[in-house]
Amino acid sequence: MTVAAPHRPGSSTLPHGLARRAANAVSGTPGRLGLAQIACVLACVALGIAGFLAGTGQSADLDIAHADAVDLVATQELRNHLVSADAAATNAFLVGGLEPTAMRERYSENLATAARAVPPLAARAPERSDELAVVSDALQRYAGLVESARANNRQGLPVGTGYLDLASATLRDEALPVLDDVAHRITARMDGHLAAVSMRQSPLLVVVGSLVVLGVVQWWLARRTHRMISPWMVVATAIALVGAVAVAIGVVGGNVVAHKVADGPYAATVASSAALAEATDAKSQESLTLIKRGSGGEHEARFQDSTTRAAALLAASDDAAGTERPTGDLLRTWLEGHAEIRALDDSGRWGEAVSAAIATGDGSPLAAFEEFAARAATDVTVTGERAATQLTRASAVSFATGWIALVAGLLAAGMTATGIWARQKEYL
């Protein structure tokens, strides 16, 4: 009678107990089929969960990027309304006495629209509420100073010019820098979310790995059982493949759309909006140059700087939109009118220059500016809506394919378990 040697600690020989029973359990075909069954079920479940997380996660990132784009455009529109109000106020100041009703209404509408735009922005991003409160405060003081300027201008008092200067300085030194900073941080945040959209492709590696596991098990099953196919496994693999392809198309497509939107309609929207702000600010500088009567050289220099930037931004917007729009030509038409005003003022005909600057008829510089501003605003709206539509559609596709992958993974898990169990029963 042979007596088994006792197990010694550190020996490489398997001990009696759980490890040996586990080894015996998988040493035969039924045990190996059980392991294959577990591997397939886990692979299918992993495929479903990874696809679900990739699709729904990317959908959430696209939605946040869309919200960032909306906030950025809203911030720039708020800025545009403020500089438009200032341009109307300074242009009306040139008239002297009782300003034209149309200019007064334009000033009031832009100021009121800007005031109404602040609370929704603060509500969507409470972390910016303190900064936007500074804008609201500056806006109220700006409006008060403009009213003081108007009151003195009606009486022909020179101090009105000082109030107008102080009002413009309040706007440019306190409100506009805050809005520029807010816009800069929204842009940085949106870039981060677009990067997150790209990272959502990583779970697709798990999806691919799960398909590889299913293929290897099917190949092993066919060799082990000497049957070419297992119907349950084939159907399960087909369903898993459909889920994997669907989520891959949704997630990779969503990433492509996000970057196309960022470089295309979204970039065009931001550039057009910034160009409009630069040009509108230049319009204020044109009026301030005339108001200063010979000492407004610094304002003319700012006019040239702003319009140069506006022209460059419009060119960039056309490149991003993939089309050449008439906005640049309208800007050049207005600049030609401005050059005529400067020629009159520089030749000592200040009154004629002022008349040319405040004229509203067809062919006047002011009419050319308003036509440019209307076209630039239309560009912002069109490209902004295009960006929103593309991001929303990509988000919906990613979300749907995430759920498709989850359902496909769970169905495939059930079918692979059933298919391999049918083979196991043949050995029991």
Side-chain angles (χ1 to χ4, degrees):
M1 177 177 177
T2 303
V3 179
H7 175 70
R8 292 175 296 176
S11 170
S12 60
T13 305
L14 284 173
H16 292 291
L18 182 62
R20 180 172 292 279
R21 287 197 297 274
N24 290 335
V26 300
S27 61
T29 298
R32 291 172 182 167
L33 283 172
L35 283 180
Q37 187 182 42
I38 293 171
C40 284
V41 169
L42 290 178
C44 291
V45 171
L47 183 150
I49 292 175
F52 178 76
L53 293 176
T56 57
Q58 188 183 70
S59 174
D61 289 331
L62 286 168
D63 288 341
I64 295 173
H66 178 206
D68 288 340
V70 170
D71 282 352
L72 182 59
V73 172
T75 303
Q76 290 198 323
E77 285 183 348
L78 168 57
R79 191 185 192 285
N80 283 338
H81 284 303
L82 287 177
V83 292
S84 292
D86 193 51
T90 52
N91 211 47
F93 198 86
L94 279 172
V95 178
L98 191 62
E99 67 267 40
T101 304
M103 290 186 186
R104 178 64 184 170
E105 287 178 349
R106 184 179 173 186
Y107 162 79
S108 300
E109 287 174 4
N110 278 292
L111 200 63
T113 304
R116 288 195 299 270
V118 174
L121 269 178
R124 286 201 294 270
E127 72 276 7
R128 300 196 297 266
S129 58
D130 290 343
E131 297 161 293
L132 292 172
V134 172
V135 174
S136 289
D137 181 63
L139 199 153
Q140 290 177 8
R141 283 187 287 114
Y142 168 79
L145 290 166
V146 168
E147 290 306 314
S148 298
R150 288 181 61 224
N152 284 281
N153 194 40
R154 283 179 180 178
Q155 300 175 49
L157 300 176
V159 71
T161 303
Y163 279 114
L164 189 66
D165 274 347
L166 191 55
S168 291
T170 299
L171 199 65
R172 285 172 173 72
D173 297 342
E174 299 181 27
L176 299 186
V178 171
L179 292 176
D180 290 342
D181 183 59
V182 169
H184 177 74
R185 281 189 281 120
I186 293 176
T187 301
R189 194 177 66 188
M190 183 174 178
D191 290 342
H193 288 133
L194 289 176
V197 168
S198 298
M199 292 300 295
R200 296 295 181 181
Q201 297 176 110
S202 300
L204 295 182
L205 294 174
V206 176
V207 173
V208 173
S210 300
L211 290 175
V212 170
V213 170
L214 284 178
V216 169
V217 170
Q218 281 208 79
W219 171 79
W220 175 82
L221 198 61
R223 287 176 58 87
R224 194 71 182 180
T225 61
H226 304 291
R227 298 182 186 179
M228 291 301 294
I229 61 171
S230 167
W232 283 100
M233 288 291 293
V234 170
V235 174
T237 304
I239 291 175
L241 186 62
V242 168
V245 170
V247 76
I249 291 174
V251 172
V252 174
N255 182 54
V256 171
V257 169
H259 285 86
K260 280 187 176 180
V261 167
D263 297 335
Y266 170 69
T269 301
V270 174
S272 291
S273 183
L276 178 57
E278 292 284 358
T280 308
D281 188 52
K283 182 61 183 170
S284 295
Q285 301 302 325
E286 179 187 78
S287 299
L288 289 170
T289 305
L290 291 172
I291 290 170
K292 294 295 180 69
R293 301 194 66 165
S295 58
E298 61 175 315
H299 296 292
E300 175 58 20
R302 290 178 187 172
F303 178 96
Q304 296 299 334
D305 290 343
S306 292
T307 52
T308 298
R309 286 193 293 270
L313 286 165
L314 288 177
S317 178
D318 282 350
D319 288 344
T323 180
E324 187 173 348
R325 295 163 293 184
T327 322
D329 291 335
L330 294 173
L331 176 68
R332 284 186 282 276
T333 300
W334 171 53
L335 293 180
E336 290 171 2
H338 171 78
E340 294 174 3
I341 293 172
R342 291 307 323 143
L344 289 171
D345 189 26
D346 293 341
S347 62
R349 292 182 286 175
W350 181 84
E352 293 179 47
V354 170
S355 297
I358 63 177
T360 58
D362 292 341
S364 66
L366 183 56
F369 172 79
E370 290 180 344
E371 189 176 2
F372 155 76
R375 177 65 204 195
T378 299
D379 291 346
V380 171
T381 301
V382 170
T383 53
E385 289 178 349
R386 189 182 305 162
T389 300
Q390 293 181 8
L391 287 175
T392 302
R393 191 177 299 160
S395 171
V397 170
S398 297
F399 187 80
T401 56
W403 276 100
I404 289 173
L406 180 62
V407 172
L410 295 179
L411 281 175
M415 288 184 175
T416 53
T418 303
I420 296 177
W421 171 243
R423 293 288 182 267
Q424 282 180 302
K425 287 193 296 184
E426 297 171 359
Y427 295 89
L428 298 178

